[in-house]
Amino acid sequence: MFAMMEAARLEELHLTQDPATGLKAIIAIHNTRLGPALGGCRYLAYPDEQSAIRDAVRLAQGMSYKAALAGLAQGGGKAVIIRPAHVDNRGALFEAFGRFIETLNGRYITAVDSGTSTADMDCIAQHTRHVTSTTEGGDPSPHTAMGVFAGIRATAQARLGGDDLHGLRVAIQGLGHVGYALAEQLHAAGVELLVSDLDRGRVQLAVEQLGAHPVASDALLATPCDILAPCGLGSVLNGETVGQLRCSAVAGAANNQLASADIADILQARGILYAPDYVINSGGLIYVALRHRGESLAAITTHLQQISRRLTEIYAHSQADKRSPARVADALAERLLYG
Ligand code: NAD
């Protein structure tokens, strides 16, 4: 356990259990140099407790990097609640989790993540104020999409010589909460959309409302386009798919798009500009962090512009150093986190 913490440079690891509600929870606080740790709460089944702890630690580390490059006075953390095979009272379980968060005196602030909902956050909020994305706080996805849109402009400027998106071909994989909102903004900017989703209804909607061209899910990555925007699941760029890409740049919302770090180097060698996922998709984190601090929507919108500025800075370093933007982003984040 301590070796894992040391390898990830994790500050704190907290565990609790509550037999009355079935709660078994882990909170990993990665780095609080820039501020209290903020990160979502997962509610998933795990094959064993070690996997749940590993997941919390790995994700907390990612949140530190994301918050640092988003220019937030916030550290990185993550919570994992191991979903029991059966739960009598889900509300009581999340309330117990709220009491657990409260014991940390604000060093960790939670949010919605895989398997949790705004209603779960409302239960947590009954026992602690260190919670975001409650029903009142609202869905961060539109803000994530706004940030990705701004990031696509910065990417077009760096790779295609201008940030006017009119007439560009953008292929979007995944038309969910973020992907569809992004498609709407791109359509309004005059982009030609190529789209895929496992849910045919989402594709049909984009065809009817946005004039998008449907592409089969297994063909999207190899479709010729200017920019590929992965907005579905992670690990889409791997040893098998990276050679198939026929785009000038990759800039999308999905978390953990690279199956491994060396994929970034392959993209670089192929001349495909890669927008580091945790930089371009930080709009949702910016939204929840600033909402939690009581900032106005106008202040949040202004802060979102930091995403394109940061990407432009990363691209400039990348070009000067002949290193992948992913490696440049990691180095910049580490400088902010560790000095
Ligand atoms: P979502 O579940 O609403 O949408 C994902 C969509 O992708 C679904 O419609 C799904 O059918 C589709 N999909 C999955 N695999 C696919 C495939 N192989 N081909 C085509 N379509 C596929 O999720 P979301 O909230 O829109 O998030 C999308 C991605 O962005 C995720 O990776 C998420 O982790 C990341 N992200 C989201 C936010 C946010 O604010 N929601 C913030 C940061 C990062």
Side-chain angles (χ1 to χ4, degrees):
M1 189 90 83
F2 286 107
M4 177 173 55
M5 288 177 71
E6 201 178 325
R9 304 175 84 163
L10 190 85
E11 286 178 7
E12 300 173 29
L13 189 60
H14 301 269
L15 289 90
T16 196
Q17 53 87 34
D18 178 44
T21 58
L23 176 73
K24 281 188 180 165
I26 301 140
I27 293 177
I29 295 177
H30 178 258
N31 186 303
T32 53
R33 182 176 186 186
L34 301 173
L38 170 59
C41 169
R42 292 203 157 177
Y43 181 59
L44 300 174
Y46 283 87
D48 52 59
E49 290 163 4
Q50 276 303 322
S51 324
I53 293 170
R54 263 200 308 275
D55 210 21
V57 171
R58 178 180 65 87
L59 293 165
Q61 185 176 20
M63 292 307 295
S64 290
Y65 283 56
K66 188 184 280 203
L69 288 197
L72 294 169
Q74 218 74 66
K78 207 82 177 185
V80 166
I81 301 180
I82 301 175
R83 197 178 75 211
H86 169 77
V87 64
D88 283 329
N89 185 341
R90 181 174 173 130
L93 183 144
F94 278 93
E95 281 194 42
F97 183 59
R99 288 192 289 274
F100 179 37
I101 293 175
E102 184 61 14
T103 64
L104 300 176
N105 292 319
R107 289 204 304 293
Y108 168 69
I109 303 162
T110 201
V112 160
D113 206 303
S114 305
T116 53
S117 65
T118 50
D120 296 327
M121 298 302 118
D122 292 347
C123 294
I124 293 170
Q126 291 184 34
H127 298 278
T128 184
R129 61 190 171 83
H130 307 300
V131 53
T132 66
S133 42
T134 53
T135 308
E136 196 196 344
D139 179 13
S141 306
H143 300 272
T144 304
M146 278 169 67
V148 175
F149 179 75
I152 286 179
R153 270 197 197 283
T155 305
Q157 176 74 53
R159 182 65 180 80
L160 305 168
D163 72 352
D164 182 3
L165 304 182
H166 195 272
L168 291 190
R169 286 161 64 89
V170 177
I172 305 181
Q173 183 188 52
L175 293 167
H177 289 94
V178 180
Y180 201 90
L182 174 66
E184 288 175 320
Q185 292 176 56
L186 291 171
H187 173 65
V191 165
E192 188 183 345
L193 294 170
L194 307 148
V195 299
S196 78
D197 197 293
L198 302 178
D199 178 344
R200 286 187 189 178
R202 306 291 296 171
V203 174
Q204 192 53 31
L205 204 62
V207 170
E208 286 166 13
Q209 295 190 338
L210 310 174
H213 306 289
V215 180
S217 287
D218 57 1
L220 189 97
L221 295 179
T223 298
C225 60
D226 295 298
I227 296 177
L228 170 70
C231 297
L233 297 181
S235 296
V236 284
L237 304 177
N238 52 48
E240 196 185 321
T241 57
V242 72
Q244 300 170 4
L245 303 186
R246 293 171 72 192
C247 55
S248 300
V250 176
N255 274 317
N256 306 318
Q257 290 169 35
L258 308 178
S260 55
D262 62 313
I263 301 293
D265 305 326
I266 302 175
L267 287 170
Q268 175 80 358
R270 288 201 55 203
I272 298 174
L273 188 61
Y274 171 68
D277 48 14
Y278 66 84
V279 180
I280 193 170
N281 74 13
S282 61
L285 176 66
I286 290 170
Y287 173 76
V288 295
L290 298 191
R291 273 299 296 239
H292 189 63
R293 285 164 190 254
E295 300 276 2
S296 67
L297 274 181
I300 293 171
T301 306
T302 303
H303 196 111
L304 283 176
Q305 290 161 10
Q306 184 120 359
I307 294 176
S308 47
R309 275 201 299 277
R310 184 67 87 183
L311 278 175
T312 302
E313 178 192 359
I314 289 168
Y315 292 150
H317 281 297
S318 162
Q319 198 174 16
D321 302 353
K322 300 198 171 14
R323 272 194 309 162
S324 145
R327 302 228 181 247
V328 171
D330 285 352
L332 278 174
E334 282 160 14
R335 201 176 309 152
L336 289 166
L337 293 171
Y338 306 116

